[in-house]
Amino acid sequence: MIKSKRLIATLVLAFFTMSLILAFSLAGSDKVKAASNKVTLRFMWWGGEARHKATLSAIQAYMKKYPNVRINAEYGGIEGYMQKLITQLVGRTAPDIIQIDVTWIGELSAQGDFFADLKTFREVNLKPFEEKFLRDWCYSNGKLIGLPTGVNASAIHYNKDFFKKFGIPENKTWTWEDILTTAEKIHKKDKNYYLLNFDATVCYYLLKTYVLQKKGGKWINDDYTMGFDRKTLIEVFTYIDKLFKVGAIQPFSESAPFQGKPEQNPKWLKGELGMLWNWTSTFAANKANVPSLSMTMIPIMKNAKSTAVTVRPSQLLAVNKLSKNAKEAAKFINWFLNDKQAALILKDVRGVPASSTARDALEKANALDPVITQITSEALKRAAPPENALSQNQELEKIATDVIQQLAYNQLTPVQAADKLMALYKQKLNEIKRLQSR
């Protein structure tokens, strides 16, 4: 009996010892496995300080949740971003996760096949995104090259204190003529103040919007021809010329250092410029610098053939096709755009989230700026059809902004500006057609 008890005790002790050995072995194995699965991802984006801060916080939260993943952040402003990205893509040194603008898709695709097809990744949940929105904006040659960070709408940011100073009602529905007459009155009253904080790029938005409202159709047709005529172009260049002449826009000779970044213009920050044509996705960043900021819709002319109101993704997040950790990159993008924790960290720094899951989380937490929600909702009701790739071509934009600058410096008359733009566009479109026909 005693021997039997000793045998049982010995067996129990042996079993317990083996269990401990097995547990430590498995724990050690897990650590080795975790160490072997460690990955480093590079994530590149542009934006303002509010976006940078929120994105960095989201990255930290992700790395805490997944300790085997390290994400190196590469961020800055928009200026020079596309050129840097193209250099990296062609040189095969681009990051794993890349923020891109939808207007670049055509040109980037023409340079090469750089991005992974996100619809092929099991790590990505597409259900929270509206399928038509993805189809309209996020595909190239049948590939889903990126997921939308948010729903972005063209809008006018305005300084409420500026409006109050000059007796402008905040609920005003603007027309093109109202802008001209109001701006002239303001500048006559005080030469230090200008209604519009417009650089050459913003004037290009105005140029396209005015023409599309007048004519409808497309800025550039799919057959590589211009979607506008000389008469309409002269009309809108004449309008822009008047804006400069009545003091609606600060002279470019003064605002030139802030071309491409008008939100950094000291006169805007001091409240001496009243309105900035921008995007809903930049409102949070701009409001951080101008606390009395609000938004309103862009002018829409009576009997417009198109509203020309642009509603598109704020940006896209894409995965580098050459990434050695493409699945991990896709997994991060899915968390970044669809996870409730990520949504509450990022809030509206890239506009109203395009993912319904993220949007619902923010609405329940009352974490969406009501101004952004309102303007985005209004813009969606009035949204124009998506632009084709040619209408978003960056080389054509550069030609137009150069011509606008020459008009602003009185180097061209409105008629000369129209003729020069049409001549240069014809030449460039023929060149693009030849390259894309190869």
Side-chain angles (χ1 to χ4, degrees):
M1 184 71 177
I2 294 172
K3 288 182 179 179
S4 176
K5 287 182 177 179
R6 285 177 180 174
L7 178 62
I8 292 171
T10 301
L11 289 173
V12 169
L13 180 62
F15 178 78
F16 181 70
T17 303
M18 288 300 294
S19 296
L20 284 175
I21 292 170
L22 181 61
F24 282 120
S25 175
L26 288 172
S29 174
D30 286 344
K31 287 181 180 179
V32 171
K33 186 177 179 182
S36 65
N37 285 341
K38 282 192 173 182
V39 296
T40 298
L41 301 172
R42 293 165 57 207
F43 177 17
M44 185 167 81
W45 75 89
W46 76 85
E49 285 305 313
R51 184 180 298 169
H52 297 332
K53 185 177 179 181
T55 305
L56 290 169
S57 295
I59 288 172
Q60 288 299 321
Y62 187 82
M63 291 193 296
K64 185 176 181 180
K65 186 173 184 178
Y66 300 100
N68 65 307
V69 179
R70 177 176 179 79
I71 300 174
N72 293 331
E74 302 175 18
Y75 56 96
I78 183 66
E79 191 173 7
Y81 182 99
M82 182 184 179
Q83 290 71 26
K84 177 183 177 182
L85 175 58
I86 290 174
T87 300
Q88 290 179 328
L89 289 169
V90 173
R92 303 165 75 90
T93 60
D96 304 274
I97 304 156
I98 307 167
Q99 179 177 293
I100 62 174
D101 192 88
V102 291
T103 63
W104 305 344
I105 290 176
E107 288 165 81
L108 291 175
S109 298
Q111 296 273 350
D113 184 15
F114 298 122
F115 304 110
D117 186 352
L118 290 180
K119 72 176 182 292
T120 65
F121 287 86
R122 294 174 62 184
E123 293 80 3
V124 175
N125 180 14
L126 299 179
K127 290 181 181 179
F129 299 94
E130 186 182 340
E131 186 177 351
K132 185 177 184 302
F133 196 59
L134 296 181
R135 290 285 173 193
D136 284 345
W137 293 103
C138 307
Y139 277 79
S140 178
N141 299 321
K143 290 176 59 176
L144 180 62
I145 67 169
L147 288 180
T149 59
V151 179
N152 203 12
S154 54
I156 300 291
H157 297 196
Y158 68 89
N159 187 325
K160 293 189 287 185
D161 291 343
F162 184 101
F163 273 36
K164 185 177 180 180
K165 177 181 176 67
F166 292 101
I168 304 169
E170 287 190 43
N171 62 353
K172 184 177 179 63
T173 300
W174 290 92
T175 67
W176 298 108
E177 189 57 34
D178 284 340
I179 285 178
L180 192 63
T181 55
T182 303
E184 185 173 15
K185 290 175 184 175
I186 288 169
H187 195 61
K188 280 182 177 178
K189 188 173 182 179
D190 192 324
K191 296 295 182 184
N192 291 317
Y193 286 78
Y194 301 86
L195 178 62
L196 306 177
N197 181 14
F198 283 16
D199 64 1
T201 302
V202 177
C203 286
Y204 175 62
Y205 297 161
L206 188 161
L207 181 79
K208 287 177 68 177
T209 299
Y210 192 105
V211 167
L212 291 172
Q213 289 182 3
K214 191 88 175 176
K215 300 294 291 182
K218 299 173 181 175
W219 177 244
I220 304 296
N221 296 318
D222 294 330
D223 62 0
Y224 300 90
T225 60
M226 289 168 270
F228 48 84
D229 55 35
R230 181 173 181 267
K231 180 181 176 183
T232 306
L233 205 57
I234 291 172
E235 181 180 328
V236 66
F237 272 125
T238 301
Y239 177 81
I240 294 172
D241 189 53
K242 286 180 180 177
L243 290 176
F244 283 107
K245 285 184 166 49
V246 303
I249 301 174
Q250 182 186 11
F252 279 4
S253 58
E254 298 176 11
S255 64
F258 308 101
Q259 166 59 34
K261 45 188 177 184
E263 70 282 352
Q264 296 179 23
N265 188 324
K267 288 185 76 67
W268 168 253
L269 299 176
K270 289 191 295 183
E272 295 175 359
L273 306 175
M275 298 165 69
L276 170 64
W277 192 320
N278 215 283
W279 298 95
T280 53
S281 64
T282 63
F283 182 72
N286 289 341
K287 190 175 182 181
N289 295 322
V290 183
S292 61
L293 207 63
S294 191
M295 280 193 291
T296 189
M297 294 295 294
I298 65 169
I300 300 175
M301 63 179 61
K302 190 177 180 180
N303 300 320
K305 293 187 177 179
S306 169
T307 62
V309 173
T310 302
V311 179
R312 63 175 181 82
S314 302
Q315 307 89 23
L316 303 182
L317 290 186
V319 172
N320 184 348
K321 188 179 179 182
L322 298 180
S323 172
K324 294 179 181 179
N325 299 295
K327 288 185 177 180
E328 285 290 346
K331 181 180 175 182
F332 171 75
I333 288 177
N334 184 71
W335 178 88
F336 192 83
L337 299 179
N338 284 327
D339 188 86
K340 293 178 181 179
Q341 180 191 13
L344 292 171
I345 295 170
L346 295 165
K347 296 182 180 176
D348 51 19
V349 294
R350 288 176 173 85
V352 175
S355 162
S356 59
T357 305
R359 196 164 56 246
D360 290 346
L362 293 184
E363 286 174 353
K364 287 178 182 177
N366 293 317
L368 277 176
D369 189 314
V371 174
I372 297 178
T373 304
Q374 178 192 345
I375 294 299
T376 302
S377 177
E378 287 184 31
L380 283 166
K381 293 174 186 175
R382 306 182 194 182
E387 287 189 298
N388 60 4
L390 282 171
S391 296
Q392 301 175 71
N393 183 277
Q394 298 295 296
E395 291 180 291
L396 296 177
E397 177 176 330
K398 180 65 167 60
I399 289 170
T401 54
D402 286 347
V403 170
I404 288 166
Q405 286 177 328
Q406 290 170 42
L407 177 73
Y409 283 104
N410 294 314
Q411 296 169 354
L412 295 173
T413 66
V415 173
Q416 290 170 334
D419 288 340
K420 183 168 185 177
L421 184 138
M422 293 188 77
L424 291 174
Y425 263 30
K426 184 177 180 180
Q427 179 182 342
K428 178 55 67 175
L429 286 167
N430 286 334
E431 179 185 322
I432 294 171
K433 185 177 181 180
R434 283 196 302 272
L435 289 171
Q436 295 186 357
S437 298
R438 289 179 179 177

